Amino acid sequence: MDARDRLIVGLDVPTVAQAETLVSTLGDDVLFYKIGYQLAFTGGLELARDMAQSGKKIFLDMKLLDIDNTIASAVENIVKMGMTMLTLHAYPKAMQAAVDAAKGSDLCLLGVTVLTSMDNQDLLDAGYSQDAKSLVLTRAAQAKAAGMGGIVCSAQEASAVRAILGPDMALVTPGIRPAGSDNGDQKRVMTPAQALIAGSSHLVVARPITQAQEPKTAAQAILAEMQTAL
């Protein structure tokens, strides 16, 4: 297995120009990129389409949630963009609408369970009665029942989630931090090797690479660690 197929670098930068510079700097070491809200609203959607056409894999992190018809229409258009992965909140009705709309395409739909920046107290404050792990496992089972391509969760729940999803569904984990790096605003984190051993299929890494003095060197070190675990 090639670790480059499992590492997703988050282009969480302010401008398209900075994103393009980072992609050029990382070169062939990185094949897969995440584009989320920050970049999407400053030309990132056009960049996502262009990068997909150039051969890069794109994880479009839009975390969709709306009425069924709106979800379906959005997914149909995203399929046409050539995206590899798309996130939506793991609500059963939204997931089912997305699965139906993406049928016959190669788009991998991912249900977002509990953000890695949230802990049990955050969920309690938001009105949930379940703790983070319990809610993640509930959402994972619902995603599988809906026919989703996978889920997004913390690597700390990966082992328990993998038992629910089975071997084939994608298990994408943000909140990845190499040993010794700053956790920032992430609360449920793991190292790259630990995450893969726990059952993650893809790792999303942003700041440890994008904010490194030498992004290419940082990416290569993470890839090397991942390769030892594969």
Side-chain angles (χ1 to χ4, degrees):
M1 301 182 199
D2 190 338
R4 294 182 304 167
D5 294 321
R6 308 296 192 95
L7 174 64
I8 303 174
V9 173
L11 290 177
D12 299 331
V13 294
T15 68
V16 167
Q18 287 174 266
E20 290 174 334
T21 297
L22 182 60
V23 171
S24 177
T25 298
L26 296 175
D28 292 337
D29 285 321
V30 177
L31 308 178
F32 214 147
Y33 288 94
K34 177 183 78 74
I35 291 179
Y37 291 147
Q38 182 179 15
L39 199 57
F41 298 127
T42 183
L45 296 180
E46 291 76 12
L47 177 65
R49 186 183 291 107
D50 292 344
M51 288 176 64
Q53 290 176 350
S54 73
K56 295 294 187 183
K57 296 179 181 179
I58 303 297
F59 167 20
L60 195 60
D61 190 17
M62 291 290 98
K63 300 182 182 72
L64 301 179
L65 181 60
D66 213 308
I67 63 172
D68 296 358
N69 183 65
T70 301
I71 290 285
S73 298
V75 169
E76 289 167 1
N77 283 331
I78 291 167
V79 166
K80 296 172 186 174
M81 292 173 64
M83 301 296 97
T84 301
M85 289 178 167
L86 169 69
T87 54
L88 56 147
H89 281 287
Y91 285 62
K93 279 175 62 64
M95 290 191 290
Q96 194 60 62
V99 167
D100 292 342
K103 195 165 294 181
S105 76
D106 293 327
L107 179 63
C108 179
L109 296 169
L110 301 171
V112 176
T113 57
V114 177
L115 300 179
T116 51
S117 61
M118 300 179 73
D119 58 18
N120 292 338
Q121 184 60 50
D122 294 319
L123 289 176
L124 185 64
D125 293 342
Y128 288 93
S129 59
Q130 292 177 285
D131 61 24
K133 183 175 182 180
S134 298
L135 184 55
V136 168
L137 297 183
T138 296
R139 298 296 196 214
Q142 291 169 333
K144 183 174 183 179
M148 294 281 283
I151 70 160
V152 179
C153 70
S154 160
Q156 291 185 6
E157 293 97 39
S159 179
V161 168
R162 181 56 71 193
I164 292 173
L165 298 185
D168 299 325
M169 291 178 67
L171 204 170
V172 180
T173 52
I176 301 300
R177 293 291 185 267
S181 65
D182 183 9
N183 287 357
D185 57 359
Q186 301 288 355
K187 295 180 179 178
R188 293 163 25 249
V189 303
M190 266 194 179
T191 68
Q194 287 172 336
L196 290 173
I197 292 169
S200 299
S201 63
H202 298 78
L203 311 184
V204 180
V205 183
R207 281 168 284 187
I209 292 175
T210 63
Q211 295 183 7
Q213 289 189 342
E214 298 289 342
K216 189 176 183 71
T217 301
Q220 289 172 340
I222 290 171
L223 286 165
E225 179 181 340
M226 291 172 64
Q227 200 65 56
T228 64
L230 290 173

